[in-house]
Amino acid sequence: MLPWLTRAAARAPERTAIVTPAQRLSYAELEARALRAAGAMAESGTRPGDRIALALPDGAEFCVAVHACMLLGAVVVPVDPRLTGSERSARIEGAQTLLDELREGAPLEHTHRPQLDEVAALMHTSGTTSEPKPVPLTYGNWLASALGSADRKSVV
């Protein structure tokens, strides 16, 4: 399966992908930045299947980092920067890399082609009744969510 961002950038390169108060990125710009971030991750030793704890604030850099992980085939582990030290430690346990600053390098040359049953992210439960637990989300889970959102959007 061709990476989603690659397909979106090919179909509508100038279409807006991300808008924040500070910036706007088209799909082509998002893909270019994500490929450079994935290249920097690969240069630092990150490999497909590695868990990358993303401790970045909400915004364009977080989105670039998520897509960089997917282009590389790394598993995204979001970590809210506002967590306490012990909460943060629990979330990053098992991650090969903690990314708290987005770096860009030479663009990644060969992107990962994910399978629908492959884990894309580890999200943590809220922990309302016990300690938060990691829940794996596959590319198929993300696709089903996107299709459901698109279907609901067309009804409204």
Side-chain angles (χ1 to χ4, degrees), residues 13-119:
E14 298 307 315
R15 188 172 180 182
T16 300
I18 297 173
V19 177
T20 69
Q23 64 183 309
R24 174 202 165 276
L25 292 177
S26 69
Y27 279 104
E29 292 165 331
L30 175 58
E31 181 188 37
R33 288 201 57 204
L35 285 168
R36 291 193 305 269
M41 289 177 191
E43 288 169 10
S44 69
T46 302
R47 299 290 170 248
D50 284 357
R51 293 180 181 180
I52 307 300
L54 296 182
L56 297 168
D58 293 341
E61 287 197 347
F62 181 82
C63 292
V64 169
V66 167
H67 283 286
C69 287
M70 290 181 163
L71 290 170
L72 185 58
V75 177
V76 176
V77 183
V79 178
D80 189 334
R82 299 170 296 181
L83 293 173
T84 66
S86 62
E87 291 171 326
R88 184 178 168 121
S89 294
R91 301 296 193 291
I92 65 174
E93 188 176 322
Q96 282 76 26
T97 302
L98 170 64
L99 186 70
D100 56 7
E101 179 184 351
L102 187 65
R103 293 176 182 85
E104 296 183 15
L108 185 69
E109 291 183 27
H110 303 286
T111 59
H112 181 71
R113 291 182 172 252
Q115 302 299 311
L116 291 177
D117 62 349
E118 187 178 342
V119 175

